Amino acid sequence: MRKIFNTLQLSAMTAAVVMALPTLVHASDQSDTKGFVDGSSLNLLNRNVFWNQTGGGGHTRDWSQALMATFSSGFTQGTVGVGVDAFADLALRIDGSTDRAGGPTIPTDNDGDPKHGIAKGGGDVKFQVSNTQLKVGDLQPNAPVFATADNYLMPQTASGFLITSHEWAGLNLEAGHFTSGTGTTTAAHSGNIMASYAKVDTPSASYAGAKYQFSKEFTASLYGAHLEDVWNQYYLNLNLVHPFSDNQALAVDFNLYRTLDDGDAKAGTINTTATSLSAAYTLGAHTFTLAGQKINGDEPFDYVGFGDNDAAGRYGNSISLADSVQYSDFNGPNERSFQLRYDLDMTSYGVPGLGFMARHIRGYGIDGTHVDSSSAYVNFYGADDSEHETDAEVKYAVQSGPAKNLTFHLREAWHDGDASTGGKLIQTRLITEYPLNIF
């Protein structure tokens, strides 16, 4: 299986490069480049996060501030463009105590005390031919089978290389290979890439995939990922957005993951299929969503994590299932769940930038008693576990003036269920962001 996947991966990467060759004489990203200096930009993001979670066997709370600078050069002119990207992140603890430490924003020392702060930096070298790019270094991939997260104070990163290509109209290809990463609370670039729930690391991870837009309304994606000695994972997405009028539309989204253990099977036997289907109807300022999700298999649906195997901020973002929400992923073995959601955009009511969201998810039928005794997921779940979660969000973006683009997000989650799902807890996040474009 591994040889087959690696062959497919190499074929996809080769295709991305070969497809660039016949189009070099036509208009492309590289032919339109402004140059290394003229195409450069420097941005500074100020992010402030208040985090509070009570219940679930503990209480974590802190308040922190991050300054994140990102430099991106243009590409040198010519057939092959060369450029660099770099970032420098600094996070400082404003408030937080030892008895409330352990959240996903600020790391702790060996004694369990919250650190005063954390800093990390990195960068990559990038090459461009026509509409194809190769980046080598510290990256933030965003594929449905391999994605770093930026959900808390500082983003995760993954070290390796990434090829992206859009040589044909409507078709986007990408492939990457990575060997280490940083979590939201770790800075060492030698950190692990792992299975988030199993907490087993892998020496390397690779993925390849394609997204094709068949029409203005319909797109499809197909991906595959290989975590060496852990799993092979495959992903299919079908997305349809059909407008009925200027202020009415229906969006239907289908996701499917298939995960099978690989090689030494460090997490044990894995044979899981995860699916979700959602339908969202938009009428003016209102959007109503109904979603369902099903996990078929005796193991949970697991996905990639980064940094420290035991850190709260290890979970990545490579889970594109409808019921993966603020706290729970509703991904237990054999779990079935459904969701009701409502969104309100206040623009049409004279308050542009203001929005509200509320959703409720219920999961049931979790049965982890048939997992193999050698599995990393053994004793995680009971025979008939269940859970439910209610989330609410208020967000606002300043529209004009000196504070334009200043954003506020208040997110609240109320979760309850069996201990295997996290138990009863309340989670609060207050996030303020202010981006500055230096040049």
Side-chain angles (χ1 to χ4, degrees):
M1 177 66 73
R2 184 190 306 179
K3 291 182 178 179
I4 295 174
F5 179 83
N6 290 341
T7 300
L8 291 173
Q9 179 200 21
L10 291 174
S11 298
M13 289 189 288
T14 302
V17 176
V18 171
M19 283 166 51
L21 298 179
T23 60
L24 293 178
V25 297
H26 302 295
S28 65
D29 292 343
Q30 180 55 25
S31 64
D32 293 337
T33 186
K34 297 179 181 179
F36 187 93
V37 175
D38 290 344
S40 297
S41 64
L42 176 62
N43 295 286
L44 179 65
L45 177 63
N46 299 269
R47 178 181 290 164
N48 186 282
V49 177
F50 172 76
W51 165 277
N52 187 56
Q53 181 172 298
T54 59
H59 183 185
T60 58
R61 182 180 65 204
D62 57 61
W63 180 25
S64 48
Q65 171 73 36
L67 298 174
M68 294 172 282
T70 303
F71 170 78
S72 181
S73 80
F75 288 94
T76 59
Q77 295 177 330
T79 301
V80 180
V82 181
V84 295
D85 299 319
F87 68 89
D89 300 341
L90 173 65
L92 299 173
R93 173 171 57 89
I94 300 174
D95 185 36
S97 57
T98 300
D99 61 338
R100 298 290 182 260
T105 54
I106 292 294
T108 56
D109 59 24
N110 293 333
D111 297 323
D113 298 321
K115 293 184 177 181
H116 293 291
I118 181 176
K120 64 181 176 182
D124 65 79
V125 180
K126 56 188 180 182
F127 306 89
Q128 183 169 255
V129 177
S130 186
N131 295 313
T132 298
Q133 286 189 18
L134 167 65
K135 292 186 176 183
V136 182
D138 305 309
L139 307 172
Q140 295 179 35
N142 190 33
V145 291
F146 192 89
T148 56
D150 189 14
N151 300 331
Y152 304 108
L153 189 61
M154 291 201 301
Q156 300 172 335
T157 64
S159 298
F161 71 83
L162 174 64
I163 296 176
T164 59
S165 180
H166 59 100
E167 298 295 339
W168 290 350
L171 177 63
N172 291 285
L173 300 173
E174 62 176 313
H177 178 79
F178 300 88
T179 55
S180 60
T182 68
T184 60
T185 58
T186 61
H189 293 285
S190 58
N192 294 331
I193 297 174
M194 73 197 81
S196 296
Y197 283 80
K199 298 184 180 181
V200 297
D201 54 87
T202 178
S204 69
S206 304
Y207 79 90
K211 181 178 181 179
Y212 186 68
Q213 185 171 354
F214 288 89
S215 67
K216 291 182 179 181
E217 298 183 3
F218 179 62
T219 60
S221 300
L222 184 64
Y223 280 80
H226 173 68
L227 263 63
E228 184 178 350
D229 290 327
V230 181
W231 67 52
N232 288 320
Q233 190 172 84
Y234 310 95
Y235 171 79
L236 171 68
N237 170 258
L238 303 174
N239 182 269
L240 174 68
V241 180
H242 179 70
F244 297 107
S245 64
D246 291 341
N247 67 345
Q248 290 188 67
L250 176 66
V252 180
D253 190 64
F254 173 76
N255 298 280
L256 182 149
Y257 285 92
R258 181 79 172 111
T259 311
L260 301 165
D261 58 86
D262 169 77
D264 292 341
K266 296 173 67 175
T269 299
I270 301 176
N271 187 352
T272 301
T273 301
T275 56
S276 73
L277 178 65
S278 66
Y281 175 67
T282 298
L283 176 61
H286 312 275
T287 300
F288 307 89
T289 303
L290 175 64
Q293 185 170 299
K294 178 71 171 73
I295 311 298
N296 289 292
D298 294 328
E299 303 80 34
F301 171 75
D302 206 346
Y303 52 96
V304 182
F306 303 88
D308 186 337
N309 289 27
D310 294 313
R314 67 183 181 274
Y315 299 93
N317 258 5
S318 49
I319 174 169
S320 297
L321 296 174
D323 290 347
S324 175
V325 291
Q326 179 169 326
Y327 175 76
S328 180
D329 291 319
F330 290 84
N331 61 334
N334 299 295
E335 183 169 8
R336 289 161 288 177
S337 59
F338 65 88
Q339 175 184 167
L340 295 173
R341 172 172 172 161
Y342 172 70
D343 293 81
L344 175 63
D345 182 353
M346 292 294 292
T347 301
S348 59
Y349 292 96
V351 191
L354 180 62
F356 301 93
M357 183 277 296
R359 63 189 168 204
H360 181 75
I361 310 96
R362 302 193 74 87
Y364 58 97
I366 303 171
D367 185 0
T369 60
H370 302 290
V371 68
D372 189 84
S373 60
S374 62
S375 171
Y377 308 104
V378 69
N379 298 323
F380 274 28
Y381 303 91
D384 190 23
D385 292 350
S386 62
E387 59 179 321
H388 58 88
E389 179 174 334
T390 301
D391 298 339
E393 179 182 26
V394 180
K395 58 184 179 180
Y396 179 69
V398 178
Q399 301 295 296
S400 60
K404 184 179 180 179
N405 297 323
L406 173 66
T407 61
F408 303 89
H409 293 262
L410 175 60
R411 297 168 180 161
E412 195 83 7
W414 298 267
H415 180 274
D416 198 0
D418 288 284
S420 65
T421 69
K424 186 174 184 178
L425 59 85
I426 300 174
Q427 183 188 101
T428 303
R429 306 182 197 178
L430 176 59
I431 304 170
T432 305
E433 292 185 341
Y434 186 45
L436 292 171
N437 177 248
I438 308 301
F439 61 79

